[in-house]
Amino acid sequence: MEYLLLFGGLLVVFTTLRVWFGARRARIYAEIKKQKYNVMDPAIEKITNPNSDRKPIG
């Protein structure tokens, strides 16, 4: 039973550190690229813009 608790604790610590370091690396990479960390990519707007030739049904 103690092994299960120890393994679970290590798994939580490993996952937390991996997420934390990943977010830190992404923020540093964004700063290197001279852009804000939480700004959406402007190329996404081109994908999500609906076509103007579509009309609602009804």
Side-chain angles (χ1 to χ4, degrees):
M1 188 67 178
E2 293 87 17
Y3 293 116
L4 183 62
L5 186 62
L6 182 64
F7 178 72
L10 287 174
L11 188 63
V12 167
V13 168
F14 176 75
T15 306
T16 303
L17 287 175
R18 184 174 171 126
V19 169
W20 187 76
F21 278 113
R24 185 171 164 237
R25 184 169 53 176
R27 189 187 66 208
I28 291 170
Y29 179 75
E31 289 175 359
I32 289 172
K33 291 289 190 176
K34 303 289 185 206
Q35 56 190 356
K36 292 187 178 178
Y37 174 60
N38 55 358
V39 172
M40 189 178 293
D41 187 10
I44 294 177
E45 294 177 6
K46 295 178 184 176
I47 298 170
T48 58
N49 279 343
N51 292 336
S52 59
D53 59 340
R54 293 186 179 179
K55 305 275 190 250
I57 300 173

